Amino acid sequence: MKRTFTSLMAALSLALVLPVPAFSAGATIELDNTVDTGEVRYESYFEDFDSGVMPEGFHEGADSARPWKLDSTQSKSGSLSLRSGVIDHNQTSSVALDTDLPAGTLSFDYLELTESCCDVMELRINGKRYNFRKTGVSNQWQHIEVLIPNPTRRVEFTYRKDPVTIAREDAVWIDNIEFTDTISPTADANDPDGDGIPYDVEQQYAALDPYDADDGFEDYDNDGASNLSEINSGYSPDVANIFVRKNLFAFYPLGDISWDYRFSNGYIATVEGQSLSAHGRFRNDSSGGYEILERRGDGIYIMERGINDTDGSQTKYVYHQGLLKLPRHIRLGEDVYSSTDLTMTLSGGETFDTRVDVIVSLLEEYQLLSSSSSADTLMIGTSSRALSNSGDYVYGSSYQLLGLDVGTLAFLGDAPSDLVDMRVARIDNSIAGQASTSTSDKAVSRTTGIQSGGGGGGSTSLLFTGLLTGLLIWRRRMSA
Ligand SMILES: [Ca+2]
Ligand SMILES: [Ca+2]
Ligand SMILES: [Ca+2]
Ligand SMILES: [Ca+2]
């Protein structure tokens, strides 16, 4: 059963890192310590929970299934700390501190003994969520600092469990909560809410709040694209736009093509593509396995996939109605839904049937620029879920950057990789179930400049080189 579960995760190509915006900026923050009513009682605040009783101001938060409690099994200093309650899947345990403190810096020590992903601690200050930056590995105490712009009334810590997996102690601890009324030099003033959008960019738009990490997901101007998608794609999140539908067939050429991808450790993986004899059918092979694709009138679907396991065996996935890989048309902010039955065959011959739901979204549009050229690229997000044999959903998500006429330029997530070379022998535009108009000559002319005549290596064109240079610049800005 464990094996089935892990294999399902692989089928959903789990990748967890979200794209961050291509901005870098400096910022100056001013604290607002003015108070409209009453007086602010400022005394330096420090709580280490070592008194043995729940300190004044702490109470159980809303929607909490079990309260946080003083705990002696873990502490950063002294003998006690505050531990989240014992909760089940899909439950939360939260504790709120009602207080009356000026703007400044909140710091605390934090320990998580949980599964490596997906079960999270949320921090809300005056009701708004902050992404706090983790400073170390998850099984050690970490020191967290966040900037608070306005007088603080309420700080809430919430531990939230996702639908699956029990791991380690399934709990989080906090200790040494401290407020100061100054800006800590080590806190992140460029992005106090940790949402990836710099402070001075957030200040420019009514749609954004530099002290709310959830605002990127909202659609302030109701034009169908989230605030974050718009910022990253160069649109205003304050003003409704009309977005052009993109033809993804032009961003995902298929046929006798090979692509080389380089991982961060320098390893290069080659994907070898070929047209199959059936119209609109394609096969891509790599050291990790293979996939069989079908291009239909409305999109490109995965029909079958084999994923090599580390022990040399292979798990086979057959998607009966086809798993949507890319819809033919999509515009910024649009989500395209699809689902299929899946039969999974483990290397031992054991089979498992389930259903997979998938949502493909166009998250961002970029023009990659280099000194010699520019190229259209699209950030595509895929979220999927499948029912495991224990009746729980397994979720997966992945992100890829597509380049016009090229295909996947970069995979993001757990094992990011970038395209470093591409060889085109023959492009095949055939569509399953449609009359043969496989005009490969015409197709090749569409990519003039990229093809290098098959065989090993070969000369990549100036246009293609420019695109890869643009990719490098984009990567650098992403990590800035
Ligand atoms: Ca921000
Ligand atoms: Ca924000
Ligand atoms: Ca919008
Ligand atoms: Ca807009």
Side-chain angles (χ1 to χ4, degrees):
M1 185 166 119
K2 177 69 187 164
R3 177 109 188 274
T4 305
F5 193 80
T6 312
S7 302
L8 262 184
M9 298 274 279
L12 301 180
S13 61
L14 197 76
L16 292 161
V17 177
L18 282 164
V20 296
F23 279 105
S24 66
T28 311
I29 291 182
E30 286 175 16
L31 297 179
D32 171 17
N33 270 323
T34 57
V35 204
D36 32 38
T37 54
E39 78 273 33
V40 166
R41 157 178 69 85
Y42 182 69
E43 295 153 25
S44 61
Y45 182 94
F46 180 74
E47 181 53 62
D48 62 7
F49 303 103
D50 284 332
S51 72
V53 292
M54 189 65 102
E56 189 189 344
F58 282 84
H59 58 90
E60 189 170 9
D63 302 324
S64 173
R66 300 287 288 276
W68 288 54
K69 287 186 171 159
L70 296 180
D71 183 67
S72 61
T73 63
Q74 301 286 347
S75 76
K76 172 69 173 154
S77 58
S79 57
L80 295 172
S81 64
L82 196 59
R83 180 198 195 276
S84 61
V86 178
I87 52 170
D88 208 343
H89 301 317
N90 283 324
Q91 288 186 332
T92 62
S93 170
S94 74
V95 66
L97 165 61
D98 284 336
T99 181
D100 189 5
L101 290 161
T105 307
L106 163 70
S107 67
F108 58 94
D109 292 311
Y110 164 67
L111 172 69
E112 56 183 20
L113 295 176
T114 66
E115 65 171 308
S116 58
C117 92
C118 315
D119 293 345
V120 292
M121 189 176 88
E122 287 178 2
L123 172 64
R124 284 179 192 273
I125 295 163
N126 296 334
K128 290 179 177 175
R129 192 175 65 82
Y130 275 55
N131 283 333
F132 57 91
R133 227 158 281 250
K134 293 176 183 173
T135 53
V137 291
S138 65
N139 59 358
Q140 291 170 5
W141 283 96
Q142 310 181 54
H143 187 67
I144 310 293
E145 285 183 333
V146 290
L147 294 179
I148 317 287
N150 301 305
T152 305
R153 307 292 177 208
R154 172 173 280 199
V155 178
E156 192 163 5
F157 299 93
T158 301
Y159 177 55
R160 184 183 299 281
K161 272 186 66 59
D162 76 344
V164 292
T165 313
I166 295 166
R168 299 156 97 188
E169 299 203 42
D170 253 333
V172 295
W173 286 257
I174 50 179
D175 203 354
N176 301 328
I177 298 177
E178 185 170 15
F179 285 96
T180 58
D181 62 351
T182 54
I183 297 176
S184 163
T186 48
D188 187 353
N190 280 336
D191 183 15
D193 60 6
D195 64 0
I197 311 174
Y199 179 86
D200 62 350
V201 173
E202 299 215 45
Q203 289 283 55
Q204 292 167 30
Y205 297 101
L208 298 173
D209 176 347
Y211 299 101
D212 178 1
D214 285 328
D215 53 1
F217 306 116
E218 293 161 7
D219 178 14
Y220 178 84
D221 56 12
N222 267 317
D223 59 6
S226 72
N227 297 338
L228 184 63
S229 289
E230 296 210 58
I231 284 285
N232 285 352
S233 305
Y235 298 99
S236 167
D238 287 352
V239 182
N241 298 86
I242 294 169
F243 303 108
V244 177
R245 292 189 107 195
K246 303 287 182 177
N247 179 2
L248 294 191
F249 285 0
F251 285 81
Y252 209 80
L254 289 166
D256 301 332
I257 307 170
S258 60
W259 299 264
D260 293 339
Y261 292 95
R262 182 163 52 212
F263 290 80
S264 47
N265 64 2
Y267 178 77
I268 300 218
T270 297
V271 177
E272 293 280 357
Q274 58 175 301
S275 296
L276 297 177
S277 54
H279 213 51
R281 284 254 177 166
F282 305 88
R283 181 182 168 110
N284 290 330
D285 284 276
S286 73
S287 57
Y290 71 92
E291 63 181 7
I292 292 174
L293 302 174
E294 184 170 275
R295 181 162 51 212
R296 301 177 190 161
D298 66 346
I300 297 168
Y301 292 80
I302 302 167
M303 304 309 297
E304 190 180 313
R305 195 184 253 168
I307 297 179
N308 298 337
D309 299 323
T310 43
D311 62 3
S313 63
Q314 191 176 63
T315 305
K316 188 173 158 184
Y317 306 83
V318 175
Y319 302 93
H320 297 275
Q321 296 85 13
L323 179 70
L324 180 66
K325 186 179 178 83
L326 294 171
R328 183 172 196 163
H329 292 111
I330 194 167
R331 60 167 173 71
L332 193 68
E334 189 175 357
D335 298 320
V336 180
Y337 293 77
S338 183
S339 57
T340 177
D341 294 314
L342 160 67
T343 299
M344 194 165 86
T345 308
L346 302 178
S347 55
E350 181 194 345
T351 65
F352 173 66
D353 289 294
T354 188
R355 192 161 179 84
V356 182
D357 302 312
V358 64
I359 307 171
V360 181
S361 313
L362 176 52
L363 299 175
E364 289 163 19
E365 307 171 359
Y366 302 98
Q367 277 257 308
L368 287 192
L369 300 172
S370 73
S371 54
S372 56
S373 65
S374 75
D376 288 330
T377 58
L378 303 174
M379 178 72 77
I380 299 285
T382 302
S383 308
S384 47
R385 65 173 194 181
L387 263 182
S388 76
N389 47 5
S390 57
D392 295 314
Y393 277 111
V394 179
Y395 292 85
S397 58
S398 57
Y399 301 89
Q400 57 182 318
L401 189 70
L402 301 183
L404 184 66
D405 288 336
V406 168
T408 305
L409 266 176
F411 294 96
L412 294 92
D414 284 346
S417 58
D418 288 348
L419 185 68
V420 290
D421 198 10
M422 177 186 186
R423 295 168 297 278
V424 180
R426 180 177 159 273
I427 287 185
D428 177 347
N429 286 330
S430 67
I431 292 176
Q434 293 189 8
S436 180
T437 51
S438 178
T439 51
S440 59
D441 290 344
K442 200 170 149 197
V444 168
S445 71
R446 181 164 67 81
T447 61
T448 296
I450 292 177
Q451 58 171 323
S452 60
S459 58
T460 44
S461 73
L462 202 61
L463 179 69
F464 185 59
T465 311
L467 189 56
L468 297 187
T469 309
L471 176 64
L472 269 178
I473 295 168
W474 179 80
R475 274 277 189 214
R476 270 205 298 274
R477 287 166 69 195
M478 288 247 309
S479 57

